[in-house]
mmCIF file with all atom_site columns, all heavy atoms in Angstrom:
data_model
loop_
_atom_site.group_PDB
_atom_site.id
_atom_site.type_symbol
_atom_site.label_atom_id
_atom_site.label_alt_id
_atom_site.label_comp_id
_atom_site.label_asym_id
_atom_site.label_entity_id
_atom_site.label_seq_id
_atom_site.pdbx_PDB_ins_code
_atom_site.Cartn_x
_atom_site.Cartn_y
_atom_site.Cartn_z
_atom_site.occupancy
_atom_site.B_iso_or_equiv
_atom_site.pdbx_formal_charge
_atom_site.auth_seq_id
_atom_site.auth_comp_id
_atom_site.auth_asym_id
_atom_site.auth_atom_id
_atom_site.pdbx_PDB_model_num
ATOM 1  N N   . ASN Q 1 2 ? 0.377  2.278  -0.630 1.00 93.00 ? 172 ASN Q N   1
ATOM 2  C CA  . ASN Q 1 2 ? 1.084  3.561  -0.690 1.00 93.00 ? 172 ASN Q CA  1
ATOM 3  C C   . ASN Q 1 2 ? 0.985  4.255  0.675  1.00 93.00 ? 172 ASN Q C   1
ATOM 4  O O   . ASN Q 1 2 ? -0.116 4.605  1.107  1.00 93.00 ? 172 ASN Q O   1
ATOM 5  C CB  . ASN Q 1 2 ? 0.432  4.402  -1.794 1.00 93.00 ? 172 ASN Q CB  1
ATOM 6  C CG  . ASN Q 1 2 ? 1.127  5.734  -1.991 1.00 93.00 ? 172 ASN Q CG  1
ATOM 7  O OD1 . ASN Q 1 2 ? 1.830  6.218  -1.098 1.00 93.00 ? 172 ASN Q OD1 1
ATOM 8  N ND2 . ASN Q 1 2 ? 0.929  6.317  -3.160 1.00 93.00 ? 172 ASN Q ND2 1
ATOM 9  N N   . PRO Q 1 3 ? 2.106  4.475  1.361  1.00 93.00 ? 173 PRO Q N   1
ATOM 10 C CA  . PRO Q 1 3 ? 2.026  5.055  2.717  1.00 93.00 ? 173 PRO Q CA  1
ATOM 11 C C   . PRO Q 1 3 ? 1.454  6.473  2.724  1.00 93.00 ? 173 PRO Q C   1
ATOM 12 O O   . PRO Q 1 3 ? 0.908  6.920  3.737  1.00 93.00 ? 173 PRO Q O   1
ATOM 13 C CB  . PRO Q 1 3 ? 3.487  5.045  3.192  1.00 93.00 ? 173 PRO Q CB  1
ATOM 14 C CG  . PRO Q 1 3 ? 4.300  4.967  1.946  1.00 93.00 ? 173 PRO Q CG  1
ATOM 15 C CD  . PRO Q 1 3 ? 3.485  4.223  0.938  1.00 93.00 ? 173 PRO Q CD  1
ATOM 16 N N   . PHE Q 1 4 ? 1.555  7.182  1.589  1.00 96.00 ? 174 PHE Q N   1
ATOM 17 C CA  . PHE Q 1 4 ? 1.030  8.554  1.534  1.00 96.00 ? 174 PHE Q CA  1
ATOM 18 C C   . PHE Q 1 4 ? -0.508 8.590  1.558  1.00 96.00 ? 174 PHE Q C   1
ATOM 19 O O   . PHE Q 1 4 ? -1.099 9.620  1.845  1.00 96.00 ? 174 PHE Q O   1
ATOM 20 C CB  . PHE Q 1 4 ? 1.561  9.286  0.298  1.00 96.00 ? 174 PHE Q CB  1
ATOM 21 C CG  . PHE Q 1 4 ? 3.031  9.561  0.364  1.00 96.00 ? 174 PHE Q CG  1
ATOM 22 C CD1 . PHE Q 1 4 ? 3.937  8.748  -0.300 1.00 96.00 ? 174 PHE Q CD1 1
ATOM 23 C CD2 . PHE Q 1 4 ? 3.524  10.629 1.106  1.00 96.00 ? 174 PHE Q CD2 1
ATOM 24 C CE1 . PHE Q 1 4 ? 5.303  8.993  -0.237 1.00 96.00 ? 174 PHE Q CE1 1
ATOM 25 C CE2 . PHE Q 1 4 ? 4.889  10.883 1.172  1.00 96.00 ? 174 PHE Q CE2 1
ATOM 26 C CZ  . PHE Q 1 4 ? 5.780  10.059 0.500  1.00 96.00 ? 174 PHE Q CZ  1
ATOM 27 N N   . ASN Q 1 5 ? -1.124 7.458  1.258  1.00 96.00 ? 175 ASN Q N   1
ATOM 28 C CA  . ASN Q 1 5 ? -2.602 7.425  1.322  1.00 96.00 ? 175 ASN Q CA  1
ATOM 29 C C   . ASN Q 1 5 ? -3.104 7.820  2.709  1.00 96.00 ? 175 ASN Q C   1
ATOM 30 O O   . ASN Q 1 5 ? -4.193 8.375  2.839  1.00 96.00 ? 175 ASN Q O   1
ATOM 31 C CB  . ASN Q 1 5 ? -3.130 6.024  1.000  1.00 96.00 ? 175 ASN Q CB  1
ATOM 32 C CG  . ASN Q 1 5 ? -3.055 5.711  -0.482 1.00 96.00 ? 175 ASN Q CG  1
ATOM 33 O OD1 . ASN Q 1 5 ? -2.868 6.614  -1.297 1.00 96.00 ? 175 ASN Q OD1 1
ATOM 34 N ND2 . ASN Q 1 5 ? -3.181 4.445  -0.829 1.00 96.00 ? 175 ASN Q ND2 1
ATOM 35 N N   . LEU Q 1 6 ? -2.300 7.523  3.741  1.00 95.00 ? 176 LEU Q N   1
ATOM 36 C CA  . LEU Q 1 6 ? -2.732 7.775  5.118  1.00 95.00 ? 176 LEU Q CA  1
ATOM 37 C C   . LEU Q 1 6 ? -2.869 9.264  5.423  1.00 95.00 ? 176 LEU Q C   1
ATOM 38 O O   . LEU Q 1 6 ? -3.504 9.647  6.394  1.00 95.00 ? 176 LEU Q O   1
ATOM 39 C CB  . LEU Q 1 6 ? -1.739 7.139  6.098  1.00 95.00 ? 176 LEU Q CB  1
ATOM 40 C CG  . LEU Q 1 6 ? -1.649 5.612  6.003  1.00 95.00 ? 176 LEU Q CG  1
ATOM 41 C CD1 . LEU Q 1 6 ? -0.504 5.088  6.854  1.00 95.00 ? 176 LEU Q CD1 1
ATOM 42 C CD2 . LEU Q 1 6 ? -2.966 4.970  6.417  1.00 95.00 ? 176 LEU Q CD2 1
ATOM 43 N N   . LEU Q 1 7 ? -2.254 10.111 4.579  1.00 96.00 ? 177 LEU Q N   1
ATOM 44 C CA  . LEU Q 1 7 ? -2.358 11.559 4.809  1.00 96.00 ? 177 LEU Q CA  1
ATOM 45 C C   . LEU Q 1 7 ? -3.786 12.070 4.619  1.00 96.00 ? 177 LEU Q C   1
ATOM 46 O O   . LEU Q 1 7 ? -4.170 13.074 5.203  1.00 96.00 ? 177 LEU Q O   1
ATOM 47 C CB  . LEU Q 1 7 ? -1.466 12.309 3.809  1.00 96.00 ? 177 LEU Q CB  1
ATOM 48 C CG  . LEU Q 1 7 ? 0.040  12.217 4.013  1.00 96.00 ? 177 LEU Q CG  1
ATOM 49 C CD1 . LEU Q 1 7 ? 0.751  12.809 2.803  1.00 96.00 ? 177 LEU Q CD1 1
ATOM 50 C CD2 . LEU Q 1 7 ? 0.445  12.964 5.278  1.00 96.00 ? 177 LEU Q CD2 1
ATOM 51 N N   . PHE Q 1 8 ? -4.553 11.365 3.807  1.00 97.00 ? 178 PHE Q N   1
ATOM 52 C CA  . PHE Q 1 8 ? -5.823 11.950 3.358  1.00 97.00 ? 178 PHE Q CA  1
ATOM 53 C C   . PHE Q 1 8 ? -6.955 11.404 4.215  1.00 97.00 ? 178 PHE Q C   1
ATOM 54 O O   . PHE Q 1 8 ? -7.458 10.313 4.002  1.00 97.00 ? 178 PHE Q O   1
ATOM 55 C CB  . PHE Q 1 8 ? -5.993 11.735 1.848  1.00 97.00 ? 178 PHE Q CB  1
ATOM 56 C CG  . PHE Q 1 8 ? -4.846 12.363 1.117  1.00 97.00 ? 178 PHE Q CG  1
ATOM 57 C CD1 . PHE Q 1 8 ? -3.758 11.624 0.706  1.00 97.00 ? 178 PHE Q CD1 1
ATOM 58 C CD2 . PHE Q 1 8 ? -4.804 13.743 0.963  1.00 97.00 ? 178 PHE Q CD2 1
ATOM 59 C CE1 . PHE Q 1 8 ? -2.662 12.219 0.119  1.00 97.00 ? 178 PHE Q CE1 1
ATOM 60 C CE2 . PHE Q 1 8 ? -3.708 14.356 0.372  1.00 97.00 ? 178 PHE Q CE2 1
ATOM 61 C CZ  . PHE Q 1 8 ? -2.644 13.588 -0.055 1.00 97.00 ? 178 PHE Q CZ  1
#
Side-chain angles (χ1 to χ4, degrees):
N172 183 339
F174 292 100
N175 285 345
L176 297 172
L177 288 170
F178 301 97

